[in-house]
């Protein structure tokens, strides 16, 4: 096959066997024509280094869990930019932490790709959640809002049951919610704090996945949001970082366990992303002001920049991808 291609190219260049050469390349030409037609409507190339705000950022702090609508600058979740193309048509997705950050970016993208979407969030985040519900509906999809605290096992079960009931099934589970509170020293970290982080980041995905599994048919997808913290933990994120190592590990374990059932399990590992988690106790003011400045792109990522990864991992076109962790870190860190 390779030789034939080489021969065709030689024939074109030398002008020999012209008719054979035309026959060989015409399918390629028609593909090019189609690509060019699409290019006519394309956006101009944008340098990713300058695509979004860079530090220094204004000092800012919100009570946990924080609201996206109160951040300065406002995060971009793809509200104005994400364009769907029917990649998830007819799918039914549950996204935890779907009110803001990566979960909101995934919710907007999934709806615009044709999926009905249920989101979970804390009652204090109702204002952010309302915006997401409106965006899902504006995409012409069903939106289900199920507030509640994931640190409670009974609620996790109820959440899945309710999502299944209201969506009429479940094919995509995005376990994305997490708690991150920085502490300079392990000596300042109380058992209550440590427990809250473990409950939110490790127990809740365990409870939710167990509740969801009986509903997931072959072809379904589970996606966990992990972090570059799994492999390169920060000094002040002693508890959080270990939960992200656990997330990466459960993705890889479950992928093996669930492959025979036809359920794919993958992870997304963000670097520093501009979300409420960071301004509500996740980072020090000093770190926030310089946020993302130490990455090769010298800026934080925006949730919108990860939306297509969540889509890709849910898309049945990615049917051979399971047990993988996809990074988006501006060039630093490893998934
Ligand atoms: P975010 O604050 O927008 O989202 C986190 C969400 O978790 C909140 O919106 C909240 O709804 C939910 N949550 C927290 N505790 C909860 C509880 N007890 N019950 C129910 N919901 C609860 O921030 P984000 O950065 O988009 O976080 C999403 C995921 O991305 C998390 O898993 C986080 O660990 C991960 N992550 C974030 C970054 C970053 O720099 N922002 C980097 C790596 C990984
Ligand atoms: Mg939120």
């Amino acid at each position: 096959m390779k030789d034939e291609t080489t021969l065709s190219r030689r024939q074109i260049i030398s002008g020999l066997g012209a008719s054979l050469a035309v026959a060989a390349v015409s399918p390629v030409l028609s593909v090019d024509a189609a690509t060019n037609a699409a290019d006519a409507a394309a956006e101009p190339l944008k340098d990713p280094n300058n695509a979004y705000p860079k530090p220094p950022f204004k000092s800012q702090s919100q009570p946990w869990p924080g609201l996206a609508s109160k951040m300065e600058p406002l995060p971009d979740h793809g509200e104005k930019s994400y364009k769907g193309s029917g990649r998830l048509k007819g799918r039914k997705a549950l996204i935890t932490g779907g009110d803001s950050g990566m979960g909101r970016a995934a919710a907007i993208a999934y709806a615009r790709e044709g999926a009905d979407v249920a989101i979970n969030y804390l009652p204090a985040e109702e204002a952010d959640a309302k915006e997401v519900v409106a965006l899902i509906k504006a995409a012409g999809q069903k939106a289900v809002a199920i507030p509640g605290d994931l640190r409670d096992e009974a609620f996790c079960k109820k959440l899945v049951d309710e999502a299944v009931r209201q969506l009429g099934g479940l094919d995509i589970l995005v376990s994305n919610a997490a708690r991150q509170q920085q502490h300079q020293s392990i000596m300042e970290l109380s058992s209550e704090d440590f427990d809250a982080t473990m409950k939110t980041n490790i127990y809740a995905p365990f409870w939710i996945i167990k509740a969801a599994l009986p509903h997931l048919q072959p072809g379904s997808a589970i996606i966990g949001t992990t972090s570059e913290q799994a492999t390169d933990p920060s000094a002040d994120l002693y508890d959080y970082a270990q939960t992200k190592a656990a997330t990466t590990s459960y993705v890889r374990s479950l992928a093996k366990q669930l492959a025979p059932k036809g359920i794919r399990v993958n992870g997304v590992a963000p670097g520093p992303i501009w979300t409420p988690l960071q301004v509500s106790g996740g980072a020090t003011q000093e770190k926030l002001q310089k946020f993302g400045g130490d990455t090769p792109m010298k800026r934080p990522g925006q949730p919108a920049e990860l939306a297509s990864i969540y889509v890709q991992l849910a898309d049945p076109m990615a049917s051979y991808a399971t047990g993988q962790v996809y990074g988006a870190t501006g060039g630093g860190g490893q998934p």
Side-chain angles (χ1 to χ4, degrees), residues 92 118 146 159-170 211-212 215:
K92 300 164 197 308
I146 313 172
L159 166 66
V160 172
D161 288 349
E162 200 49 30
V164 168
R165 192 181 66 78
Q166 293 201 48
L167 293 173
L170 190 66
H215 303 281

Side-chain angles (χ1 to χ4, degrees), residues 65-66 99-100 125 128 276:
D99 58 302
S100 57
E125 299 170 302
D128 273 357

Side-chain angles (χ1 to χ4, degrees), residues 133-306:
V133 164
L135 287 157
I136 296 168
K137 286 184 178 162
Q141 298 302 134
K142 184 166 193 177
V144 179
I146 313 172
D149 195 321
L150 298 176
R151 289 170 292 188
D152 175 1
E153 181 174 5
F155 172 73
C156 288
K157 285 184 184 148
K158 215 179 96 189
L159 166 66
V160 172
D161 288 349
E162 200 49 30
V164 168
R165 192 181 66 78
Q166 293 201 48
L167 293 173
L170 190 66
D171 331 288
I172 303 166
L173 171 63
V174 181
S175 180
N176 165 76
R179 178 180 195 273
Q180 174 186 320
Q181 294 287 304
Q182 68 80 27
H183 290 279
Q184 292 305 302
S185 163
I186 189 172
M187 300 306 285
E188 292 167 11
L189 185 59
S190 69
S191 294
E192 289 73 25
D193 252 322
F194 186 84
D195 189 54
T197 303
M198 298 298 144
K199 284 267 160 48
T200 314
N201 302 6
I202 298 184
Y203 278 81
F206 166 62
W207 293 327
I208 293 169
I209 292 168
K210 268 179 83 169
L213 211 46
H215 303 281
L216 301 179
Q217 304 297 316
S220 300
I222 298 173
I223 299 163
T225 304
T226 177
S227 170
E228 61 179 358
Q229 290 291 325
T231 48
D232 186 13
S234 298
D236 62 349
L237 295 175
Y238 166 83
D239 54 343
Y240 172 85
Q242 46 184 302
T243 68
K244 293 295 156 175
T247 305
T248 291
S249 205
Y250 93 58
V251 162
R252 293 179 176 150
S253 165
L254 261 192
K256 290 175 184 157
Q257 192 183 122
L258 300 183
K261 294 188 189 301
I263 300 167
R264 296 183 300 110
V265 189
N266 291 290
V268 181
I273 314 295
W274 192 244
T275 70
L277 169 137
Q278 299 291 356
V279 301
S280 60
T284 58
Q285 289 304 317
E286 193 197 356
K287 191 173 168 189
L288 265 184
Q289 285 161 17
K290 298 187 288 196
F291 199 60
D294 59 354
T295 66
M297 285 197 188
K298 308 225 174 324
R299 66 166 179 88
Q302 294 292 327
E305 297 182 275
L306 288 87

